[in-house]
Amino acid sequence: MIFGDILWTEGKVNPSGIKSLVYYIPKSDILSFPTIKNEDATTIAEAVNYTGNFVLKENKHFFSLYSTQGKGSGASETFGEKDCKMFNNKVILSFPDITDEARNMMKGFVNANILLVVPLPQNRFVVIGSTDYNVETNINATTGDAAGSAKGLTIEVTAPDVTPFPFYKGTLQLADGVLNCATGVFTPDDDSDI
């Protein structure tokens, strides 16, 4: 492990929360994962950030999932016994309706092994899920209790990992283009042949 000073600049801009569009894919659609180093890391960045890209099976892509901003959050919590401690990386998302698509997602997610890439402010993308451990998803739906009250789905995804909130700086293949997670720039597919 690499140790060093951890300092804070007074007055530094420090936005919190998660963005309103997250990305997911069944882990079975991933051919290979980007890499992250542990004891062999020579820099802090190597120890906590993925290097490379997700390589997907042919004709597969990440899907988008809307989450009401201000209703979702992430957490990384320590668990385990001495000398075997790890982290549960978690995210809670909120979808504001009970549509056919949302209920279909409920049926599929609860017993599936999915991976999420969750955008934070400042172009930080957190991976919830790893090659080594299954992801657990719990989803609850509510109609709300009064006019104007919150309704829809609460989606909780938990993934054990040796790295707390690993960041991803590669690309995500979406249905209609590619998202560069290092810059936050989306490049649509070339439609010039249409």
Side-chain angles (χ1 to χ4, degrees):
M1 294 288 112
I2 300 167
F3 296 97
D5 295 328
I6 304 171
L7 306 174
W8 182 256
T9 303
E10 186 175 345
K12 180 179 178 179
V13 173
N14 188 30
S16 55
I18 64 174
K19 292 189 176 182
S20 60
L21 205 58
V22 301
Y23 306 96
Y24 74 91
I25 191 169
K27 284 174 62 176
S28 59
D29 289 348
I30 301 171
L31 281 176
S32 65
F33 277 66
T35 58
I36 196 165
K37 294 188 176 184
N38 293 306
E39 293 82 10
D40 55 343
T42 58
T43 67
I44 291 172
E46 287 179 340
V48 295
N49 299 314
Y50 278 109
T51 301
N53 293 310
F54 288 100
V55 177
L56 308 181
K57 292 181 179 177
E58 189 174 354
N59 299 319
K60 299 297 182 181
H61 60 82
F62 279 81
F63 297 94
S64 301
L65 171 59
Y66 175 83
S67 180
T68 301
Q69 198 162 42
K71 293 284 188 179
S73 64
S76 187
E77 301 171 349
T78 307
F79 77 98
E81 298 183 20
K82 185 166 179 64
D83 296 328
C84 298
K85 291 187 184 239
M86 296 176 57
F87 301 92
N88 265 331
N89 293 324
K90 301 179 179 184
V91 67
I92 297 174
L93 306 172
S94 178
F95 186 78
D97 201 357
I98 310 171
T99 63
D100 287 352
E101 293 80 7
R103 291 180 302 112
N104 181 64
M105 180 186 66
M106 289 179 77
K107 286 177 72 173
F109 268 35
V110 293
N111 290 312
N113 196 11
I114 61 166
L115 177 134
L116 281 94
V117 178
V118 181
L120 310 179
Q122 300 178 314
N123 288 327
R124 295 174 176 173
F125 290 76
V126 172
V127 175
I128 307 292
S130 72
T131 57
D132 295 324
Y133 300 100
N134 290 334
V135 174
E136 182 175 333
T137 304
N138 292 300
I139 305 178
N140 297 307
T142 181
T143 61
D145 57 8
S149 64
K151 73 170 189 177
L153 312 184
T154 300
I155 306 155
E156 298 182 21
V157 181
T158 304
D161 205 322
V162 296
T163 303
F165 276 166
F167 284 0
Y168 178 65
K169 298 174 186 256
T171 58
L172 294 181
Q173 179 64 56
L174 304 177
D176 54 351
V178 174
L179 176 63
N180 184 324
C181 295
T183 63
V185 174
F186 175 74
T187 304
D189 285 339
D190 182 11
D191 293 327
S192 59
D193 58 341
I194 296 177

